[in-house]
């Protein structure tokens, strides 16, 4: 069959979504795909064609897999129990092969373009497009002397950025998690809609948001050989530290200057924030505490400095974070915001690590904000809520010397 | 396993691409994926894990499928013959389920987020990022009164758009093909790099490029029921016409005014062009000939008016295109550019249809450009070349009354 005919047939095949009562196609679906679909209680129905397979499952990445049931027409189907509202990655497992659901759009997570399903949260619209002025999200490409490669980033500019051509704006650097990429905060997180809605409601100041690609290697640095190395082994930690350093150097030496040259930013530390989720939270702590001359607002969304986050050790305010907290009063003057968040349902190790960091900060009388997202795990609904709480606190302080 | 651990492990698993001599990971791969990979002759090697499958194939959408061979480690592998340089969609077929390759990024085509492999073209860099000033690609969201929904579009702004804040620019509306979406011209086509390079070389005028979502339904219009309707049947044609009309109304009544309000455009017909590939070419002919008061440059990339494109009938210059060609001299004054392109290896019906339209235009002495892309089929390398030939011809004419 010619591709033309394929295109026409697909065009026809994507035109006929017919949802039975109660279940509606997920908002994360491709145009017209009838499955997966969700109902008001958060149950999800899946359906996929695999006529010659002997076993097909739905895998929500870590939870027990759902066995699908083969129908006489060669399709496999299953309905889940009620899911927590929000965004959930999933895979299909077809005779041992972990693959995407053709009915779902893909979202970069787990190191690949992965399927996902959005379960609406009743009464929540803060992360959905509303009839308010919209900012734009720009794709930029810049050549990095640090990595020796072209790099891609996304930049949110607030409503009126183009029309108010003399106004300069503060900047939030906002990082994705491990296995995700620079598209995550828009595609999965809806950061642009969250900001649009906060700005329209005068809850947050208009700001630029920069979302960088979180992986980097120094130019000429060979690929680390980590195949088969156990998690936490010295070789693996060394490779991760190299990557983290290359990312820090790219961000601080190339990307920040690029953004300050190419966007109307206010280019001082009082008007520069950084936050990130999970791995991006670890990167945020490393980058900001290494460069307090550049950043004064710090957010860790289900992420903190590595060993603290994992609960391996307690915070030592005298030495941790390059000793920036040794004098709590000085710290509060210098760092306008230190923000920590975690979901109540996150894996115990992570929840305990971040909660412990929070109490250590309290004990040491280090000014900070601690937020718990009720009922959510290490997932995007937590991080959407984090951003909704974090962004309004930015760029409200007076200026202070580093 | 917790998602945190998953994220860390993935982070490690994506760090270790080790290409053996001759083959390199494809540029379309996700970070660090070793497969698929290509060699200098255009051969592609595929590898996928499917330990319990009984049959796994690589499917280039219409060509004979490649049977993969199971290895003792549960992975399946195969090496293709040399592929035509450019961008090729493909699927894996695992026991009858058509799925993506986790090693490949996805690209919206065939009505889903699909795998693809880029085969480099020796000596061609016009569609690759170069060390030249780069434009930005912006995501915009606008509410359409025509469809009653939020719609997403991409907008390329040329280098210096932000710094030359008084300059206004002409606009090209550039449409994807059937089964693709508004992301295609950037992700698959590299339209931004093509424009960057042409503008840097002074071969094309700086312009804004708007890429709209090519599917639409009028607000309140029910989904057309086309399930099981044969290709070309009256019901299916009617549904496609309804969609085409809704798209035309959205583009001309909502998107063009939105772009003219939100970007520094030159908002007259002499500075507005439209082109599209395949289905997008059909839409271009419909929209522009219905609205010659709005457009004066017209491009069909492997696409033309439907029946002409498919070779079902010859061009009738007196009546086709709303009679706009009835007087060739008037037409040449009004339409600054009518451009047709097709790949030499496209399916015979399509190639013949467009070539026949070209000779009919010649016979009727209708001024136009006809371009054949050597050695390429109904695929992105054809359309990249089309854009490279088409864009330099835009906005060079003097002004003329419609």
């Amino acid at each position: 069959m010619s591709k033309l005919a394929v295109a026409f047939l697909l065009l026809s095949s994507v035109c006929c979504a017919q949802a039975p009562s109660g279940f509606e196609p997920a908002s994360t679906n491709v145009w017209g795909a009838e499955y997966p679909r969700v109902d008001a209680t958060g149950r999800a129905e899946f359906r996929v064609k695999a006529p010659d397979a002997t076993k097909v499952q739905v895998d929500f990445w870590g939870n027990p897999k759902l066995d699908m049931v083969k129908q006489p027409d060669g399709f496999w189907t299953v309905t889940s129990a009620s899911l927590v509202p929000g965004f959930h990655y999933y895979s299909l497992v077809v005779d041992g092969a972990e693959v995407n659901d053709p009915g779902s759009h893909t979202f970069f997570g787990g190191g690949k373009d992965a399927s996902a399903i959005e379960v609406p949260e009743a009464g929540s619209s803060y992360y959905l497009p509303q009839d308010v002025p919209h900012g734009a999200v720009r794709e930029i490409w810049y050549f990095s002397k640090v990595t020796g490669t072209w790099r891609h980033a996304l930049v949110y500019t607030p409503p009126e950025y183009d029309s108010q051509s003399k106004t300069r704006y503060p900047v939030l650097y906002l990082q994705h998690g491990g296995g995700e990429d620079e598209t995550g905060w828009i595609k999965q997180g809806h950061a642009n809609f969250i900001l649009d809605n906060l700005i329209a409601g005068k809850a947050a100041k208009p700001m630029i948001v920069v979302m960088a690609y979180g992986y980097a290697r120094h130019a000429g640095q060979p690929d680390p050989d980590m195949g088969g190395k156990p998690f936490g082994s010295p070789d693996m930690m060394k490779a991760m530290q190299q990557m983290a350093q290359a990312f820090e150097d790219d961000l601080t030496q190339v990307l920040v200057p690029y953004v300050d040259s190419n966007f109307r930013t206010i280019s001082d530390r009082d008007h520069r924030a950084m936050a990130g989720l999970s791995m991006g939270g670890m990167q945020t702590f490393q980058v900001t505490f290494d460069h307090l001359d550049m950043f004064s607002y710090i957010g860790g969304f289900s992420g903190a400095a590595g060993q603290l986050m994992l609960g391996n050790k307690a915070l030592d305010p005298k030495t941790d974070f390059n000793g920036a907290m040794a004098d709590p009063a000085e710290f509060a003057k210098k760092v306008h915001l230190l923000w920590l968040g975690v979901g109540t349902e996150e894996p115990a190790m992570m929840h305990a690590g971040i909660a412990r960091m929070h109490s250590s900060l309290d004990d040491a009388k280090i000014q900070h904000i601690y937020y718990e997202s009720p009922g959510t795990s290490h997932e995007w609904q937590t991080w959407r809520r984090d951003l909704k709480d974090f962004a309004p606190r930015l760029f409200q302080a007076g200026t202070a010397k580093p």
Side-chain angles (χ1 to χ4, degrees), chain A:
Chain A
M1 181 160 51
S2 79
K3 283 190 185 170
L4 177 67
V6 169
F8 276 117
L9 288 175
L10 282 158
L11 190 55
S12 70
S13 73
V14 295
C15 293
C16 346
Q18 300 284 354
S21 66
F23 281 92
E24 297 284 343
S27 64
T28 29
N29 286 9
V30 300
W31 167 272
E34 197 176 342
Y35 292 84
R37 51 195 191 183
V38 291
D39 74 1
T41 69
R43 290 185 307 160
E45 263 194 307
F46 299 87
R47 181 172 185 262
V48 63
K49 186 174 184 182
D52 305 321
T54 55
K55 186 174 188 182
V56 183
Q57 296 173 302
V58 177
D59 177 2
F60 283 105
W61 296 15
N63 301 318
K65 297 179 182 63
L66 299 179
D67 287 322
M68 302 186 77
V69 177
K70 190 173 188 175
Q71 308 299 324
D73 58 4
F75 283 82
W76 296 67
T77 60
V78 71
T79 302
S80 77
S82 292
L83 302 168
V84 174
F87 178 95
H88 303 283
Y89 293 110
Y90 71 97
S91 302
L92 302 177
V93 186
V94 179
D95 286 347
E98 198 177 314
V99 298
N100 287 338
D101 183 344
S104 167
H105 267 299
T106 61
F107 303 84
F108 201 73
K112 64 183 180 185
D113 284 307
S115 298
I117 186 167
E118 179 78 42
V119 178
E121 183 169 78
S124 270
S125 59
Y126 70 90
Y127 55 94
L128 301 177
Q130 307 285 337
D131 189 14
V132 299
H134 286 254
V137 176
R138 308 183 188 203
E139 301 189 60
I140 60 168
W141 288 262
Y142 63 99
F143 186 82
S144 170
K145 65 182 192 295
V146 168
T147 64
T149 58
W150 285 96
R151 288 173 66 83
H152 182 237
L154 298 187
V155 179
Y156 168 85
T157 53
E160 306 199 332
Y161 180 86
D162 287 318
S163 59
Q164 303 294 319
S165 64
K166 300 293 177 199
T167 308
R168 304 188 76 89
Y169 297 87
V171 186
L172 165 63
Y173 289 80
L174 186 62
Q175 286 305 119
H176 59 83
E180 299 174 335
D181 72 10
E182 73 280 16
T183 63
W185 266 109
I186 300 302
K187 288 183 68 177
Q188 286 94 308
H190 299 185
N192 54 320
F193 297 133
I194 294 172
L195 267 294
D196 287 344
N197 294 329
L198 289 172
I199 292 168
K202 310 259 184 235
K205 297 219 167 165
M207 67 185 79
I208 293 168
V209 183
V210 178
M211 292 150 279
Y213 184 60
Y215 313 102
R217 274 186 213 108
H218 282 109
Q221 180 185 316
D223 290 352
D225 177 12
M226 303 200 297
K229 300 291 192 306
F231 179 65
S233 70
D235 280 356
M236 183 175 161
M237 295 313 286
K238 188 179 164 207
M240 287 185 64
Q241 280 161 9
Q242 284 178 349
M243 195 190 303
Q245 190 60 51
F247 172 76
E248 175 179 342
D249 292 346
D250 177 67
L251 185 85
T252 56
Q253 296 169 24
V254 185
L255 183 58
V256 169
Y258 179 92
V259 168
D260 285 335
S261 297
N262 287 276
F263 292 86
R264 295 195 314 278
T265 64
I266 308 173
S267 59
D268 61 28
R269 69 181 298 280
D270 285 322
H271 298 88
R272 200 179 286 122
M274 186 169 178
L277 71 93
S278 193
M279 178 184 87
M282 297 173 60
Q283 293 173 322
T284 294
F285 280 86
Q286 175 175 332
V287 169
T288 56
F289 281 99
D290 280 355
H291 298 274
L292 285 177
D293 57 321
M294 295 176 70
F295 298 90
S296 62
Y297 295 84
I298 302 168
F301 301 173
S302 307
Q307 291 180 301
L308 303 176
M309 178 169 72
L310 301 179
N312 294 353
K313 66 187 276 293
L315 176 73
D316 180 349
K318 296 297 172 201
T319 57
D320 283 339
F321 303 120
N322 303 333
M325 295 172 176
D327 180 338
E330 273 304 303
F331 178 78
K333 269 193 258 175
K334 195 186 294 182
V335 173
H336 302 315
L337 177 64
L338 175 62
W339 193 104
L340 295 178
V342 69
T344 59
E345 306 308 307
E346 299 215 20
M349 174 181 75
M350 166 155 281
H351 185 274
I354 293 175
R356 181 172 174 185
M357 180 173 166
H358 159 56
S359 32
S360 299
L361 288 168
D362 268 352
D363 293 346
K365 307 202 185 312
I366 306 294
Q367 203 171 309
H368 70 286
I369 301 287
Y370 176 68
Y371 167 77
E372 289 204 349
S373 166
T376 60
S377 184
H378 202 66
E379 61 190 325
W380 277 98
Q381 203 71 349
T382 304
W383 306 320
R384 290 168 176 167
R385 292 173 180 169
D386 288 348
L387 182 61
K388 178 176 170 244
D389 187 274
F390 178 75
R393 303 176 189 273
L394 295 179
F395 314 123
Q396 306 285 354
T399 58
K401 292 285 172 205

